[in-house]
Amino acid sequence: MLCAIVEHIRKSFPEAGLVVNCEATSSQLSRYGLKRVFRQRWFRLFGSCVRYVPQCLIPQSNGEFIHPKFIDGIIDASGFSISDQWEKSQGRVKLFQVLRKQGCKIVMLPQAFGPFQNPFIADYAQSVFSMCDLIFPREQQSMAFVQPLVDPKEKLHIAPDFTILVKGIVPDDFPTELHNAVGILPNSRM
């Protein structure tokens, strides 16, 4: 999914800087020209005070990391991660809150959502969805799970998965007997 997003954004907006909020090695980041969200201890403690610090004193980037103050938009491509099968992610809520206060746009790309039988997960999902500008459930069942938690409904749109658009590259050392094989990568929580 990350490859599809990077490929599309680079084609449409070649000058855009891309930042991820996930675990990745420095070599993985540099391979795709990505940076990480700046997460130093002082920011976790004083992040909400950043808006009062003169902009010239805030490091925009140290090469590998970029400060959240310099992020204009979030594209959440976390896939199937908001449902009763998963724990709440307070990190996501806190990051979204900080970015939302700065006027950042937040879009959840096509993914499966729900169910939300657990009231704690439903509250968590509703708080995440409330900070989003657009949410794309990828099929009718996910839409049915999300609709009761989202207002206004205009920010909800069904859209298919888009990762099929990525043009694959077969490595030279890839076994020839697997060239026409189909790989299945199940998500154990679905």
Side-chain angles (χ1 to χ4, degrees):
M1 189 172 281
L2 178 61
C3 293
I5 294 166
V6 169
E7 205 173 271
H8 185 75
I9 290 177
R10 293 272 184 247
K11 192 184 310 177
S12 302
F13 308 99
E15 301 301 315
L18 300 176
V19 182
V20 293
N21 185 34
C22 65
E23 300 301 317
T25 65
S26 296
S27 63
Q28 289 169 325
L29 292 172
S30 64
R31 178 178 175 189
Y32 296 105
L34 303 172
K35 295 185 182 202
R36 261 188 270 253
V37 176
F38 202 52
R39 297 171 116 185
Q40 286 189 341
R41 183 175 222 181
W42 68 268
F43 178 72
R44 283 198 302 268
L45 296 173
F46 307 109
S48 61
C49 300
V50 166
R51 64 179 165 228
Y52 304 111
V53 176
Q55 193 156 334
C56 63
L57 298 179
I58 300 172
Q60 180 177 355
S61 172
N62 71 354
E64 186 176 319
F65 293 88
I66 192 161
H67 195 285
K69 184 173 180 77
F70 299 96
I71 296 174
D72 299 316
I74 290 287
I75 298 173
D76 184 311
S78 54
F80 177 62
S81 67
I82 302 180
S83 76
D84 287 341
Q85 289 94 321
W86 293 91
E87 298 292 320
K88 298 188 297 186
S89 170
Q90 290 307 320
R92 178 186 301 188
V93 171
K94 288 177 183 174
L95 180 64
F96 280 16
Q97 286 170 338
V98 167
L99 294 171
R100 199 67 186 160
K101 284 179 186 171
Q102 297 168 189
C104 185
K105 299 293 183 189
I106 301 173
V107 176
M108 297 199 86
L109 289 183
Q111 52 193 284
F113 295 107
F116 303 111
Q117 303 294 321
N118 179 330
F120 297 110
I121 299 298
D123 287 346
Y124 161 71
Q126 191 167 27
S127 73
V128 169
F129 297 150
S130 72
M131 292 182 271
C132 295
D133 295 282
L134 290 170
I135 304 164
F136 293 96
R138 68 177 174 205
E139 46 22 66
Q140 199 60 48
Q141 180 63 63
S142 290
M143 178 66 105
F145 288 140
V146 172
Q147 278 181 324
L149 304 177
V150 173
D151 192 45
K153 305 288 185 239
E154 290 78 33
K155 63 179 165 181
L156 279 174
H157 306 277
I158 290 183
D161 194 342
F162 56 89
T163 54
I164 194 138
L165 302 174
V166 174
K167 294 184 173 146
I169 300 169
V170 179
D172 293 335
D173 61 345
F174 194 76
T176 55
E177 63 270 12
L178 296 178
H179 275 229
N180 293 316
V182 175
I184 299 173
L185 304 172
N187 183 324
S188 63
R189 302 202 186 205
M190 291 187 92

